């Protein structure tokens, strides 16, 4: 099975390497279009087969070539630009077929482990852990948020479990790179070479690189928090772990989007109280960031939100204001 799926995925890789080759493109198009059907009729599938199919989402090189051709576009090379655009569209179509394969498996497979493997793969693409480009990641995110979650409570639970694993991986990445980032940042600070003094922005290229890795899993999990606000506790717990500073930065950077969306859905005062009840003393920094985002949309905060914040202050400090 793995050899069969790998052969189909490899045909797409070959087409991406040489977009002008008509025969390669024809073979890749046929392989991609028939993949969902072939995977659907197989008596069983494996996690590795889904991972191999996801290789079809690795189309960054084709997209870069198309963008470069468009940038250099002129009256004399319109044909080359059009060919690059056509190759990009074909690669994106093949990536979509891979995601449809995962969707079908998540819905149609009778075995729970097969469904979980398909969801894990889709979530990993959306989180940017499996090699893919922005187009495939956005498509995977829409598949997870707009298709899998609304259709089935069981699948929604699986998505949350998979996204939690991706968040934990992001937390571990932040912790593993903490010492290296801290040393580089301290050296740059001593030399007066900090790229920025914004506490939410990376201070060095190394920190920026790690932050890029952890940002997408964080954003994915934060999107799920809007549907299930109770998992904000999990977000705070992982982001406030010792030495997970880079993940904490990524979460705080995207906190305004989470806070505004949650306030729109549940009410600012209500969600403020709910999040405050979940946050413990070690998570105060993210709680304050969340409350600040609720009240910093350019308008004066409502009386209900002010009352809620006073109530939170009283609970957290044990004093009445």
């Amino acid at each position: 099975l793995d050899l069969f799926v790998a052969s189909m995925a490899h045909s797409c890789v070959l087409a991406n390497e040489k977009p002008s080759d008509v025969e390669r493109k024809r073979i890749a198009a046929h392989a991609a279009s028939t993949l969902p059907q072939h995977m659907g009729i197989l008596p069983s599938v494996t996690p590795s087969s889904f991972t191999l199919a996801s290789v079809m989402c690795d189309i960054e090189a084709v997209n870069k070539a198309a963008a470069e051709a468009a940038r250099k576009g002129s009256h004399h090379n319109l044909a080359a630009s059009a060919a690059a655009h056509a190759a990009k569209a074909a690669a994106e179509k093949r990536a979509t077929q891979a995601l449809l394969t995962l969707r079908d498996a998540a819905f149609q497979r009778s075995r729970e482990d097969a469904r979980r493997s398909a969801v894990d793969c889709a979530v990993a693409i959306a989180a940017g852990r499996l090699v893919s480009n922005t187009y495939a990641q956005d498509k995977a995110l829409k598949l997870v948020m707009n298709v899998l979650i609304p259709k089935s409570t069981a699948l929604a639970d699986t998505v949350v479990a998979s996204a939690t694993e991706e968040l934990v991986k992001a937390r571990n990445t932040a912790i593993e790179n903490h010492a290296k980032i801290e040393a580089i940042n301290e050296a740059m600070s001593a030399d007066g070479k900090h790229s920025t003094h914004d506490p939410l922005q990376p201070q060095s290229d190394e920190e920026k690189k790690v932050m890029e890795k952890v940002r997408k899993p964080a954003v994915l999990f934060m999107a799920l928090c809007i549907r299930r606000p109770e998992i904000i506790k999990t977000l705070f717990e992982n982001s406030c772990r010792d030495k997970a500073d880079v993940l904490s930065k990524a979460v705080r950077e995207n906190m305004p989007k989470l806070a505004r969306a949650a306030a729109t859905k549940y009410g600012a005062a209500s969600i403020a109280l709910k999040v405050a009840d979940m946050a413990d003393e070690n998570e105060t920094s993210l709680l304050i960031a969340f409350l600040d985002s609720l009240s910093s949309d350019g308008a004066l905060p409502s009386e209900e939100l002010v009352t809620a914040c006073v109530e939170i202050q009283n609970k957290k400090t044990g004093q009445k204001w």
Side-chain angles (χ1 to χ4, degrees), residues 20-285:
S20 60
D21 191 313
V22 176
E23 183 63 12
R24 288 189 182 187
K25 194 158 62 173
R26 183 191 66 78
I27 294 172
H30 177 73
S33 62
T34 58
L35 180 62
Q37 178 185 359
H38 287 313
M39 292 288 281
I41 62 176
L42 291 171
S44 64
V45 290
T46 61
S48 57
S49 64
F50 293 130
T51 303
L52 289 167
S54 72
V55 171
M56 295 162 61
C57 294
D58 183 12
I59 56 175
E60 183 64 25
V62 178
N63 282 15
K64 283 184 177 180
E68 183 68 14
R71 188 180 67 82
K72 294 180 178 179
S74 67
H75 179 72
H76 300 290
N77 60 1
L78 287 177
S81 180
H85 181 76
K88 172 177 175 287
E92 290 177 347
K93 188 174 181 179
R94 294 192 292 268
T96 301
Q97 292 297 323
L99 294 174
L100 292 177
T101 300
L102 299 177
R103 180 204 64 185
D104 292 347
F107 282 125
Q108 297 172 6
R109 286 288 161 181
S110 57
R111 290 182 55 176
E112 183 180 351
D113 59 339
R115 296 196 301 272
R116 174 63 190 263
S117 296
V119 172
D120 285 347
C121 198
V123 170
I125 294 171
R129 182 169 60 83
L130 290 182
V131 179
S132 55
N133 77 323
T134 303
Y135 171 86
Q137 291 165 10
D138 290 344
K139 283 283 189 179
L141 182 61
K142 290 177 181 177
L143 169 63
V144 169
M145 298 300 299
N146 301 335
V147 180
L148 299 182
I149 290 180
K151 296 294 184 182
S152 166
T153 302
L155 279 179
D157 292 340
T158 303
V159 167
V160 171
S162 296
T164 301
E165 290 182 1
E166 294 297 331
L167 183 66
V168 170
K169 288 184 175 74
R171 180 201 72 196
N172 292 339
T173 297
I175 293 173
E176 289 165 5
N177 289 275
H178 176 267
K180 184 178 181 181
I181 291 171
E182 189 175 46
I184 293 174
N185 287 354
E186 286 178 355
M188 291 181 65
S189 180
D191 294 340
K193 295 180 180 179
H194 266 322
S195 59
T196 175
H197 295 287
D198 187 341
L200 296 185
Q201 296 300 315
Q203 304 299 309
S204 61
D205 290 341
E206 182 64 26
E207 187 176 12
K208 182 179 180 180
K209 182 174 69 174
V210 176
M211 196 167 176
E212 285 297 321
K213 288 183 180 179
V214 305
R215 181 181 284 113
K216 284 186 182 295
V219 170
L220 170 63
F221 198 86
M222 293 171 86
L224 292 172
C225 289
I226 299 168
R227 291 181 177 269
R228 294 191 173 186
E230 65 273 11
I231 66 174
I232 291 177
K233 174 63 177 175
T234 304
L235 177 71
F236 282 15
E237 281 181 345
N238 284 279
S239 303
C240 291
R241 285 285 293 273
D242 184 36
K243 299 182 180 180
D245 299 357
V246 177
L247 177 59
S248 181
K249 278 188 178 184
V251 170
R252 282 184 287 160
E253 182 185 42
N254 290 277
M255 192 67 81
K257 294 180 182 179
L258 170 61
R260 285 194 292 267
T264 300
K265 188 168 184 178
Y266 303 104
S270 176
I271 195 64
L273 291 169
K274 186 177 181 70
V275 172
D277 287 340
M278 290 187 288
D280 61 28
E281 185 178 350
N282 295 328
E283 298 152 11
T284 301
S285 61

